[in-house]
Amino acid sequence: FSRQGYEDPHWQYPAAGHGHGYPYQSHQWQPAWQDDRDLRQGEPYGKSYRDQHYYRGYHPNLATGPPGKDRTQTYDSYEESYISTARREGTGEEALGSDLGEAGGQPKEPSLLLQYHESGLSSSSHELSQYIRDGADHYDPVLPGSWNVEQTGGPLVSTPTLAVPLKFPQPHVTLCFGARGHLVLACPHRPAEGQLPHVELHSLQAILRGTEEMEELQTFPGPLAREDLHKVDVMTFCQKKITTGCDLSTQRGRDSSLLWKLLVLLCRQNGSMVGSDTAELLMQDCGRQDKYKRQEDPAANLMGLMDDEWASRQPGTLDLITGEVSPIVETQAQIVEKFTKLLYYGRKKDALVWAMKNQLWGHALFLSSKMDSRTYSWVLTGFTSTLATNDPLQTLFQLMSGRIPQAALCCGDATWGDWRPHLAVMLSNKAGDTELNHRAIVTMGDTLASKGAVEAAHFCYLMADTPFGYFEAKADRMVLLGSSHRQAFSQFARAEAIQRMEIFEYCQQLRQPESFLLPFQVYKLLYASLLADHGLPAQALQYCEHISTALLRQDPAAHPVLAQQVVRLAERLKFSDPLLLEMPEQDQALEPDWLEQLRACCREWEVR
């Protein structure tokens, strides 16, 4: 038959002139796959290409025949008929040999099968179909003429057509995930052999029972906006998280525990708190407070005294003013008495030096405050120089002096110790400048965030009432409570972070029932999808309802993609609603009001 400029991968055979290595003799031929050995490997084929799967998969017309007749006999008659028909059509020579075409002055390109043979590939049409499958998919050759009983001398055989190789030669299991928490399995079966299909339904909740992810989802009492929830359940969940999920031996574990304790405090006090409440919470775990090293004797050069002048005021020396010898060991009363005597003689500067040397800072500060401002600053600097750099008192005095405390810029470092006492002193002693207090706390949060202390930074941001942002806006300080949005999304949007954020939103709703966090609604939808994937469709549908309620309070057109995704998920999960299942069959087409309203808003937005 005419190839019309292309090769048929299933029916091409080498020319008769190239008979070396092939079982062709004269004008009779047999398919190469009936040979006893593989031409490429020299190993016997066995019965791999003669079984029913091969004949059915690639040559379905060869799979049928009269009972008791060997398939190879049927195939031999098929081959002879094929050759005789090709010869009658005048194209058999082209199909069987390229030497005839060359004699006619038309050089023929070597057969594609021959090219594979010469390159060392097997001549099996099963293997060739794997190499030239793309060409076979677009070409469906039809043999010229038709077959009948007279031509074959045997039983009636249908018109041969090229069978495209099956993608899966053996029956296999197919599966899909149902919307109501089912895993649907279609088991292997052979309908041609009379086997009935077998479909299995498995509960994902039962399959995943006992896994860490399933336990995390089932222990959370969400959604928290439902009416039958009591806040004690939320507080119990937080306490369990502190006990089991926080390693208090590490700084990060203590910071995470602090966030959970803050949520417990907010839940107990219905979402409201004051600075002293937070300061008490911060100092709960600071029982082993760091001992800040203080300078007992301030340096003489800080006070502006020369070495000889400072030595003249040491114990055991003669006081030229009073004419008395200073005792080696002085009591508190003797120190105050000498301070008073110096003032008798009008020696204010000497009295200030004596008070500063003997830690009478109250006397020194009061006296200097009644003198000029330069002297007051001098005494104040002498007082603060006795404090350690990381002493919380330094933070307080710097804040009250109208400056951003040094601790806000250096906290989180090992040399600075714990950051919580510094935040506690700023929250409990707010200066008159509200903007300065806000800036100092936010600066401390930024410093902690830059050093990887995300939970500690978010605690500071909450104290400064920093708003929540979006994942794409990397400049925003918070998106999910306790999780950094500067990492990969799969690590950022963890179930624990979403749960913690939902508890914070719930605490806000205890104070203002109509409030909600709009940027957080998309993570609720993500959590609902996670519940559906783990076989908890009823809870997932409740989340969809609460998201819809929040969107309908606003303009859903402002967030069209979120609204459409909620509708799409809710339509798949709506039959998990027990109320809908209890309806009569004629009423089961009804949908919840919130779903109809949200869908109507989406359609209105699309029309607009």
Side-chain angles (χ1 to χ4, degrees), residues 351-362:
L352 288 176
V353 171
W354 177 257
M356 294 165 66
K357 174 185 176 297
N358 292 278
Q359 306 295 321
L360 294 178
W361 293 109

Side-chain angles (χ1 to χ4, degrees), residues 327-400:
I328 297 177
V329 178
E330 296 176 325
T331 63
Q332 184 69 16
Q334 291 175 332
I335 294 172
V336 174
E337 182 180 0
K338 184 172 182 179
F339 174 78
T340 307
K341 287 183 178 180
L342 289 171
L343 291 178
Y344 289 163
Y345 296 96
R347 306 297 298 256
K348 295 181 180 178
K349 183 177 180 181
D350 292 335
L352 288 176
V353 171
W354 177 257
M356 294 165 66
K357 174 185 176 297
N358 292 278
Q359 306 295 321
L360 294 178
W361 293 109
H363 297 71
L365 287 171
F366 181 79
L367 178 59
S368 62
S369 66
K370 302 304 179 181
M371 299 168 64
D372 58 282
S373 58
R374 180 173 298 181
T375 304
Y376 177 74
S377 299
W378 173 64
V379 175
L380 185 61
T381 303
F383 169 67
T384 55
S385 66
T386 62
L387 302 175
T389 307
N390 60 341
D391 196 320
L393 286 178
Q394 287 275 23
T395 302
L396 175 62
F397 295 150
Q398 292 169 7
L399 183 66
M400 297 181 70

Side-chain angles (χ1 to χ4, degrees), residues 129-423:
S129 65
Q130 307 301 318
Y131 294 111
I132 3 172
R133 184 171 57 185
D134 294 339
D137 291 343
H138 303 287
Y139 168 46
D140 187 15
V142 180
L143 297 179
S146 60
W147 298 90
N148 52 43
V149 179
E150 288 77 16
Q151 289 177 331
T152 60
L156 179 64
V157 181
S158 60
T159 302
T161 58
L162 178 63
V164 178
L166 300 176
K167 183 177 182 181
F168 300 99
Q170 295 292 338
H172 64 286
V173 177
T174 59
L175 61 88
C176 67
F177 293 92
R180 296 184 59 188
H182 291 123
L183 180 66
V184 184
L185 297 180
C187 300
H189 65 283
R190 304 176 186 272
E193 299 179 1
Q195 296 182 2
L196 296 178
H198 182 66
V199 179
E200 298 179 358
L201 296 179
H202 298 272
S203 172
L204 287 173
Q205 183 177 1
I207 294 175
L208 299 175
R209 181 179 293 114
T211 61
E212 182 179 354
E213 295 82 3
M214 195 66 179
E215 292 293 332
E216 186 178 25
L217 295 175
Q218 287 184 326
T219 54
F220 184 66
L224 302 182
R226 66 180 195 269
E227 296 179 355
D228 60 338
L229 177 71
H230 197 278
K231 66 179 185 180
V232 175
D233 300 331
V234 181
M235 296 168 62
T236 303
F237 175 81
C238 295
Q239 294 288 355
K240 184 177 179 181
K241 277 291 184 180
I242 296 172
T243 305
T244 61
C246 300
D247 184 8
L248 300 181
S249 62
T250 63
Q251 183 62 43
R252 183 165 187 176
R254 291 192 293 270
D255 294 341
S256 180
S257 171
L258 185 63
L259 268 185
W260 287 112
K261 290 180 179 180
L262 176 64
L263 294 177
V264 173
L265 176 64
L266 288 173
C267 192
R268 182 185 296 116
Q269 300 185 176
N270 294 330
S272 61
M273 61 180 179
V274 294
S276 58
D277 296 333
T278 312
E280 182 181 356
L281 178 65
L282 287 167
M283 300 306 295
Q284 279 182 358
D285 297 331
C286 295
R288 52 173 192 82
Q289 297 183 18
D290 298 331
K291 302 301 182 182
Y292 304 103
K293 296 181 179 180
R294 302 187 180 185
Q295 300 178 15
E296 296 298 334
D297 295 324
N301 56 358
L302 181 63
M303 298 184 183
L305 302 179
M306 301 301 293
D307 292 340
D308 53 351
E309 186 179 2
W310 182 260
S312 64
R313 289 163 172 77
Q314 297 301 318
T317 60
L318 178 64
D319 193 333
L320 300 178
I321 299 176
T322 60
E324 299 176 355
V325 178
S326 302
I328 297 177
V329 178
E330 296 176 325
T331 63
Q332 184 69 16
Q334 291 175 332
I335 294 172
V336 174
E337 182 180 0
K338 184 172 182 179
F339 174 78
T340 307
K341 287 183 178 180
L342 289 171
L343 291 178
Y344 289 163
Y345 296 96
R347 306 297 298 256
K348 295 181 180 178
K349 183 177 180 181
D350 292 335
L352 288 176
V353 171
W354 177 257
M356 294 165 66
K357 174 185 176 297
N358 292 278
Q359 306 295 321
L360 294 178
W361 293 109
H363 297 71
L365 287 171
F366 181 79
L367 178 59
S368 62
S369 66
K370 302 304 179 181
M371 299 168 64
D372 58 282
S373 58
R374 180 173 298 181
T375 304
Y376 177 74
S377 299
W378 173 64
V379 175
L380 185 61
T381 303
F383 169 67
T384 55
S385 66
T386 62
L387 302 175
T389 307
N390 60 341
D391 196 320
L393 286 178
Q394 287 275 23
T395 302
L396 175 62
F397 295 150
Q398 292 169 7
L399 183 66
M400 297 181 70
S401 300
R403 295 179 293 160
I404 298 293
Q406 189 71 17
L409 302 172
C410 303
C411 62
D413 210 348
T415 58
W416 277 81
D418 200 349
W419 58 273
R420 289 175 291 180
H422 299 276
L423 180 61

Side-chain angles (χ1 to χ4, degrees), residues 80-140:
E80 295 173 0
S81 301
Y82 171 79
I83 297 173
S84 62
T85 303
R87 287 173 177 173
R88 283 200 305 271
E89 295 295 329
T91 59
E93 291 80 6
E94 181 180 356
L96 295 177
S98 61
D99 52 349
L100 299 180
E102 295 172 358
Q106 297 179 359
K108 298 294 183 179
E109 183 180 355
S111 169
L112 191 59
L113 180 63
L114 181 58
Q115 298 177 21
Y116 280 118
H117 169 63
E118 292 176 349
S119 63
L121 296 175
S122 171
S123 60
S124 167
S125 49
H126 167 71
E127 294 187 25
L128 291 180
S129 65
Q130 307 301 318
Y131 294 111
I132 3 172
R133 184 171 57 185
D134 294 339
D137 291 343
H138 303 287
Y139 168 46
D140 187 15

Side-chain angles (χ1 to χ4, degrees), residues 419 444-446 448-450 453-462 478:
W419 58 273
M444 176 176 283
D446 293 341
L448 291 169
S450 65
V454 179
E455 292 87 351
H458 286 191
F459 191 96
C460 295
Y461 294 148
L462 288 179
M478 281 192 305

